[in-house]
Amino acid sequence: MNGNMKRTVGMAMLMAFMAGGLAACDKEEAPADEAEQSMEESANEAEQSMEEAGAAADEAMDDTAAATEETMDDAAAATDEATDEMGAAADEAMNDAEQMADDAGQAMDDAASEADQMADEAMDDAGQAMEDAGNDMQDSVEEETTN
């Protein structure tokens, strides 16, 4: 509560107590003085209570603001940490994928080289077999012509 509002409420209470006291006293001075003193004490107590309530409200708002700020800081830190972890995991997955692609490429190159070598050997073997067959046929023809 701000100061002006407290003073206004305090003054309104003081006036109400004074008017009530004056009406009750019916123009006798001693009871009026007592009533006035009682009203002033009540008004002072009310003002003090209102000031204490305002201070407690201010303190509660400060505590709430501090807790909110701390929560926001914690959330920001957690978000940063999660982002860093996700980035590291993505980097690791990308590196793994690149390594797998390299390994697959190397395996394909090895398989192609082996297939090429096997084809060359098969061609050589086929050529040798054909040459051997040709020689056998020639030997066979020569044998028949000599017989």
Side-chain angles (χ1 to χ4, degrees):
M1 264 187 176
N2 65 26
N4 287 337
M5 188 173 183
K6 291 178 189 176
R7 279 191 219 91
T8 303
V9 171
M11 291 301 285
M13 289 176 61
L14 178 63
M15 293 172 141
F17 286 136
M18 288 179 78
L22 290 174
C25 292
D26 200 24
K27 299 191 181 186
E28 293 179 24
E29 286 191 25
D33 287 339
E34 288 178 21
E36 182 180 357
Q37 185 178 4
S38 175
M39 285 189 289
E40 285 178 5
E41 288 175 6
S42 296
N44 287 338
E45 288 174 7
E47 183 178 359
Q48 185 177 3
S49 294
M50 290 167 71
E51 287 175 359
E52 289 172 1
D58 285 344
E59 186 176 333
M61 288 189 328
D62 290 344
D63 290 348
T64 301
T68 300
E69 186 173 334
E70 184 177 336
T71 301
M72 288 173 55
D73 289 345
D74 290 348
T79 300
D80 289 345
E81 185 177 337
T83 300
D84 291 345
E85 289 177 8
M86 287 173 56
D91 288 345
E92 186 176 334
M94 192 64 137
N95 290 338
D96 289 348
E98 287 175 358
Q99 184 61 46
M100 291 171 76
D102 288 346
D103 291 347
Q106 185 62 43
M108 289 173 64
D109 285 346
D110 291 347
S113 291
E114 190 173 326
D116 190 37
Q117 185 178 2
M118 288 174 69
D120 285 346
E121 288 175 5
M123 290 287 282
D124 288 345
D125 290 346
Q128 186 63 44
M130 286 175 66
E131 189 177 324
D132 289 346
N135 287 337
D136 286 345
M137 280 176 47
Q138 187 176 17
D139 288 344
S140 171
V141 167
E142 284 178 8
E143 245 181 62
E144 279 192 29
T145 56
T146 55
N147 283 341

Coordinates of all heavy atoms in Angstrom, one line a residue, residues 74-128:
D74 N 17.3 -21.0 -13.8 CA 17.5 -22.4 -13.8 C 17.0 -23.0 -15.1 O 17.6 -23.9 -15.7 CB 16.7 -23.1 -12.7 CG 17.4 -22.8 -11.3 OD1 18.5 -22.3 -11.3 OD2 16.7 -23.0 -10.3
A75 N 15.8 -22.5 -15.6 CA 15.2 -23.0 -16.9 C 16.2 -22.7 -18.0 O 16.4 -23.5 -18.9 CB 13.8 -22.4 -17.1
A76 N 16.7 -21.5 -18.0 CA 17.6 -21.1 -19.1 C 18.9 -22.0 -19.1 O 19.3 -22.4 -20.2 CB 18.0 -19.6 -19.0
A77 N 19.4 -22.2 -17.9 CA 20.6 -23.1 -17.8 C 20.3 -24.5 -18.3 O 21.1 -25.1 -19.0 CB 21.1 -23.1 -16.4
A78 N 19.1 -25.0 -17.9 CA 18.7 -26.4 -18.3 C 18.6 -26.4 -19.8 O 19.0 -27.4 -20.5 CB 17.5 -26.8 -17.6
T79 N 18.0 -25.4 -20.4 CA 17.8 -25.3 -21.9 C 19.1 -25.3 -22.6 O 19.3 -26.0 -23.6 CB 17.0 -24.1 -22.2 OG1 15.7 -24.2 -21.6 CG2 16.8 -24.0 -23.7
D80 N 20.1 -24.5 -22.1 CA 21.4 -24.4 -22.7 C 22.1 -25.7 -22.6 O 22.7 -26.2 -23.6 CB 22.3 -23.3 -21.9 CG 21.8 -21.9 -22.3 OD1 21.0 -21.7 -23.2 OD2 22.2 -21.0 -21.5
E81 N 22.0 -26.4 -21.4 CA 22.6 -27.7 -21.3 C 22.0 -28.7 -22.2 O 22.8 -29.5 -22.9 CB 22.5 -28.2 -19.8 CG 23.2 -29.5 -19.5 CD 23.1 -29.9 -18.1 OE1 22.8 -29.1 -17.2 OE2 23.3 -31.1 -17.8
A82 N 20.7 -28.7 -22.3 CA 20.0 -29.7 -23.3 C 20.4 -29.4 -24.7 O 20.7 -30.3 -25.5 CB 18.5 -29.6 -23.1
T83 N 20.5 -28.1 -25.1 CA 20.9 -27.8 -26.4 C 22.4 -28.2 -26.7 O 22.6 -28.8 -27.8 CB 20.8 -26.2 -26.6 OG1 19.5 -25.8 -26.4 CG2 21.3 -25.8 -28.0
D84 N 23.2 -28.0 -25.7 CA 24.6 -28.5 -25.9 C 24.7 -30.0 -26.1 O 25.4 -30.5 -26.9 CB 25.5 -28.1 -24.7 CG 25.7 -26.6 -24.7 OD1 25.4 -25.9 -25.7 OD2 26.1 -26.1 -23.6
E85 N 23.9 -30.7 -25.2 CA 23.9 -32.2 -25.3 C 23.4 -32.7 -26.7 O 23.9 -33.6 -27.3 CB 23.1 -32.8 -24.1 CG 23.8 -32.7 -22.8 CD 23.0 -33.2 -21.6 OE1 21.9 -33.8 -21.9 OE2 23.4 -33.0 -20.5
M86 N 22.3 -32.0 -27.1 CA 21.7 -32.4 -28.4 C 22.7 -32.1 -29.5 O 22.8 -32.9 -30.5 CB 20.4 -31.6 -28.6 CG 19.3 -32.1 -27.8 SD 17.8 -31.1 -27.9 CE 17.4 -31.2 -29.6
G87 N 23.4 -31.0 -29.5 CA 24.4 -30.7 -30.5 C 25.5 -31.7 -30.5 O 26.0 -32.1 -31.6
A88 N 26.0 -32.1 -29.3 CA 27.1 -33.1 -29.2 C 26.6 -34.4 -29.8 O 27.3 -35.1 -30.5 CB 27.5 -33.2 -27.8
A89 N 25.4 -34.8 -29.4 CA 24.8 -36.1 -29.9 C 24.7 -36.0 -31.5 O 25.0 -37.0 -32.1 CB 23.5 -36.4 -29.3
A90 N 24.2 -34.9 -32.0 CA 24.1 -34.8 -33.4 C 25.5 -34.9 -34.1 O 25.6 -35.5 -35.2 CB 23.4 -33.5 -33.8
D91 N 26.4 -34.2 -33.5 CA 27.8 -34.3 -34.1 C 28.3 -35.7 -34.1 O 28.9 -36.2 -35.1 CB 28.8 -33.4 -33.3 CG 28.5 -31.9 -33.6 OD1 27.8 -31.6 -34.6 OD2 29.0 -31.1 -32.8
E92 N 28.1 -36.4 -33.0 CA 28.6 -37.8 -32.9 C 27.9 -38.7 -33.9 O 28.5 -39.5 -34.5 CB 28.3 -38.3 -31.4 CG 28.9 -39.7 -31.2 CD 28.7 -40.1 -29.8 OE1 28.6 -39.3 -28.9 OE2 28.7 -41.4 -29.6
A93 N 26.6 -38.5 -34.0 CA 25.8 -39.3 -35.0 C 26.3 -39.0 -36.4 O 26.4 -39.9 -37.2 CB 24.3 -39.0 -34.9
M94 N 26.6 -37.7 -36.7 CA 27.1 -37.4 -38.0 C 28.4 -38.0 -38.3 O 28.7 -38.5 -39.4 CB 27.2 -35.8 -38.1 CG 27.4 -35.4 -39.5 SD 26.0 -35.8 -40.5 CE 25.8 -34.4 -41.5
N95 N 29.3 -38.0 -37.3 CA 30.6 -38.6 -37.4 C 30.5 -40.1 -37.6 O 31.2 -40.7 -38.5 CB 31.5 -38.3 -36.2 CG 31.9 -36.8 -36.1 OD1 32.0 -36.1 -37.1 ND2 32.3 -36.4 -34.9
D96 N 29.6 -40.7 -36.9 CA 29.4 -42.1 -37.0 C 28.9 -42.5 -38.5 O 29.3 -43.4 -39.1 CB 28.4 -42.7 -36.0 CG 29.0 -42.7 -34.6 OD1 30.2 -42.6 -34.5 OD2 28.2 -42.9 -33.6
A97 N 27.9 -41.7 -39.0 CA 27.4 -41.9 -40.3 C 28.5 -41.7 -41.4 O 28.6 -42.5 -42.3 CB 26.2 -40.9 -40.6
E98 N 29.3 -40.7 -41.2 CA 30.4 -40.5 -42.1 C 31.4 -41.7 -42.1 O 31.8 -42.1 -43.2 CB 31.2 -39.2 -41.8 CG 30.4 -37.9 -42.2 CD 31.1 -36.7 -41.8 OE1 32.2 -36.7 -41.1 OE2 30.6 -35.6 -42.0
Q99 N 31.7 -42.2 -40.9 CA 32.6 -43.3 -40.8 C 32.0 -44.5 -41.5 O 32.7 -45.3 -42.2 CB 32.9 -43.6 -39.3 CG 33.9 -44.7 -39.1 CD 35.3 -44.4 -39.8 OE1 35.8 -43.4 -39.6 NE2 35.8 -45.4 -40.5
M100 N 30.7 -44.8 -41.2 CA 30.0 -45.9 -41.9 C 30.0 -45.8 -43.4 O 30.2 -46.8 -44.1 CB 28.6 -46.0 -41.3 CG 28.5 -46.4 -39.8 SD 26.8 -46.3 -39.2 CE 26.1 -47.7 -39.9
A101 N 29.8 -44.6 -43.9 CA 29.8 -44.4 -45.3 C 31.2 -44.6 -45.9 O 31.4 -45.3 -46.9 CB 29.4 -42.9 -45.7
D102 N 32.2 -44.2 -45.2 CA 33.6 -44.4 -45.6 C 33.9 -45.9 -45.6 O 34.5 -46.5 -46.5 CB 34.6 -43.7 -44.7 CG 34.6 -42.2 -44.9 OD1 34.1 -41.7 -45.9 OD2 35.2 -41.5 -44.0
D103 N 33.5 -46.6 -44.5 CA 33.7 -48.1 -44.4 C 32.9 -48.8 -45.6 O 33.5 -49.7 -46.2 CB 33.2 -48.6 -43.1 CG 34.1 -48.1 -41.9 OD1 35.2 -47.6 -42.2 OD2 33.6 -48.3 -40.8
A104 N 31.7 -48.4 -45.8 CA 30.9 -49.0 -46.9 C 31.6 -48.8 -48.3 O 31.7 -49.7 -49.1 CB 29.5 -48.5 -47.0
G105 N 32.1 -47.5 -48.5 CA 32.8 -47.2 -49.7 C 34.1 -48.1 -49.9 O 34.4 -48.6 -51.0
Q106 N 34.8 -48.2 -48.8 CA 36.0 -49.0 -48.8 C 35.7 -50.5 -49.1 O 36.3 -51.1 -49.9 CB 36.8 -48.9 -47.5 CG 38.1 -49.6 -47.5 CD 39.1 -49.1 -48.6 OE1 39.2 -47.9 -48.7 NE2 39.7 -50.0 -49.3
A107 N 34.6 -51.0 -48.5 CA 34.2 -52.4 -48.7 C 33.8 -52.6 -50.2 O 34.1 -53.6 -50.8 CB 33.1 -52.8 -47.8
M108 N 33.1 -51.6 -50.7 CA 32.7 -51.7 -52.1 C 33.9 -51.7 -53.1 O 34.0 -52.4 -54.0 CB 31.7 -50.6 -52.5 CG 30.3 -50.8 -51.9 SD 29.2 -49.3 -52.1 CE 29.0 -49.3 -53.8
D109 N 34.9 -50.8 -52.7 CA 36.1 -50.8 -53.5 C 36.8 -52.1 -53.5 O 37.3 -52.6 -54.5 CB 37.0 -49.6 -53.1 CG 36.6 -48.3 -53.5 OD1 35.7 -48.2 -54.3 OD2 37.1 -47.3 -52.9
D110 N 36.9 -52.7 -52.3 CA 37.6 -53.9 -52.1 C 36.9 -55.0 -52.9 O 37.5 -55.9 -53.5 CB 37.7 -54.3 -50.6 CG 38.6 -53.4 -49.8 OD1 39.4 -52.7 -50.4 OD2 38.6 -53.5 -48.6
A111 N 35.6 -55.1 -52.8 CA 34.8 -56.1 -53.5 C 34.9 -55.9 -55.0 O 35.1 -56.9 -55.7 CB 33.3 -56.0 -53.1
A112 N 35.0 -54.7 -55.5 CA 35.1 -54.4 -56.9 C 36.5 -54.9 -57.4 O 36.7 -55.5 -58.5 CB 34.9 -53.0 -57.3
S113 N 37.5 -54.6 -56.6 CA 38.9 -55.0 -56.9 C 39.0 -56.5 -56.9 O 39.6 -57.1 -57.9 CB 39.9 -54.5 -55.9 OG 40.0 -53.1 -56.1
E114 N 38.4 -57.2 -55.9 CA 38.4 -58.6 -55.9 C 37.7 -59.2 -57.1 O 38.1 -60.2 -57.7 CB 37.8 -59.1 -54.6 CG 38.0 -60.6 -54.3 CD 37.5 -61.0 -52.9 OE1 37.7 -60.2 -52.0 OE2 37.1 -62.2 -52.8
A115 N 36.5 -58.7 -57.4 CA 35.8 -59.2 -58.6 C 36.5 -59.0 -59.9 O 36.6 -59.9 -60.7 CB 34.4 -58.5 -58.6
D116 N 37.2 -57.8 -60.0 CA 38.0 -57.6 -61.2 C 39.2 -58.6 -61.3 O 39.4 -59.2 -62.4 CB 38.6 -56.2 -61.1 CG 39.2 -55.7 -62.4 OD1 38.7 -56.1 -63.5 OD2 40.2 -55.0 -62.4
Q117 N 39.8 -58.8 -60.1 CA 40.9 -59.8 -60.1 C 40.4 -61.2 -60.4 O 41.0 -61.9 -61.2 CB 41.6 -59.8 -58.7 CG 42.8 -60.7 -58.7 CD 43.5 -60.6 -57.3 OE1 43.0 -59.9 -56.4 NE2 44.6 -61.3 -57.2
M118 N 39.2 -61.6 -59.9 CA 38.7 -62.9 -60.2 C 38.3 -63.0 -61.6 O 38.5 -64.1 -62.3 CB 37.4 -63.1 -59.3 CG 37.8 -63.4 -57.8 SD 36.3 -63.5 -56.7 CE 35.7 -65.1 -57.3
A119 N 37.8 -61.9 -62.2 CA 37.4 -61.9 -63.6 C 38.7 -62.1 -64.5 O 38.7 -62.9 -65.5 CB 36.7 -60.7 -64.0
D120 N 39.7 -61.4 -64.1 CA 41.0 -61.5 -64.9 C 41.5 -62.9 -64.8 O 41.9 -63.5 -65.8 CB 42.1 -60.5 -64.3 CG 41.8 -59.1 -64.7 OD1 41.0 -58.9 -65.7 OD2 42.4 -58.2 -64.1
E121 N 41.5 -63.5 -63.6 CA 41.9 -64.9 -63.4 C 41.1 -65.9 -64.2 O 41.6 -66.8 -64.9 CB 41.9 -65.3 -61.9 CG 43.0 -64.6 -61.1 CD 43.0 -64.9 -59.6 OE1 42.1 -65.7 -59.2 OE2 43.8 -64.3 -58.9
A122 N 39.8 -65.6 -64.2 CA 38.9 -66.5 -65.0 C 39.1 -66.4 -66.5 O 39.1 -67.4 -67.2 CB 37.4 -66.2 -64.6
M123 N 39.4 -65.2 -66.9 CA 39.7 -65.0 -68.3 C 41.0 -65.7 -68.7 O 41.1 -66.3 -69.7 CB 39.8 -63.5 -68.6 CG 38.5 -62.7 -68.6 SD 37.5 -63.1 -70.0 CE 38.2 -62.1 -71.2
D124 N 42.0 -65.5 -67.8 CA 43.3 -66.2 -68.0 C 43.1 -67.7 -68.1 O 43.6 -68.4 -69.0 CB 44.3 -65.8 -67.0 CG 44.8 -64.4 -67.1 OD1 44.6 -63.8 -68.2 OD2 45.4 -63.8 -66.1
D125 N 42.3 -68.2 -67.1 CA 42.1 -69.6 -67.0 C 41.3 -70.1 -68.3 O 41.7 -71.2 -68.9 CB 41.3 -70.0 -65.8 CG 42.1 -69.9 -64.5 OD1 43.3 -69.8 -64.6 OD2 41.5 -69.9 -63.4
A126 N 40.3 -69.3 -68.7 CA 39.6 -69.7 -69.9 C 40.5 -69.6 -71.2 O 40.4 -70.5 -72.0 CB 38.4 -68.7 -70.1
G127 N 41.3 -68.6 -71.2 CA 42.3 -68.5 -72.3 C 43.2 -69.7 -72.4 O 43.5 -70.3 -73.4
Q128 N 43.7 -70.0 -71.2 CA 44.6 -71.2 -71.1 C 43.9 -72.5 -71.4 O 44.5 -73.3 -72.2 CB 45.2 -71.3 -69.6 CG 46.2 -72.4 -69.5 CD 47.5 -72.1 -70.3 OE1 48.0 -71.0 -70.4 NE2 48.0 -73.1 -71.0

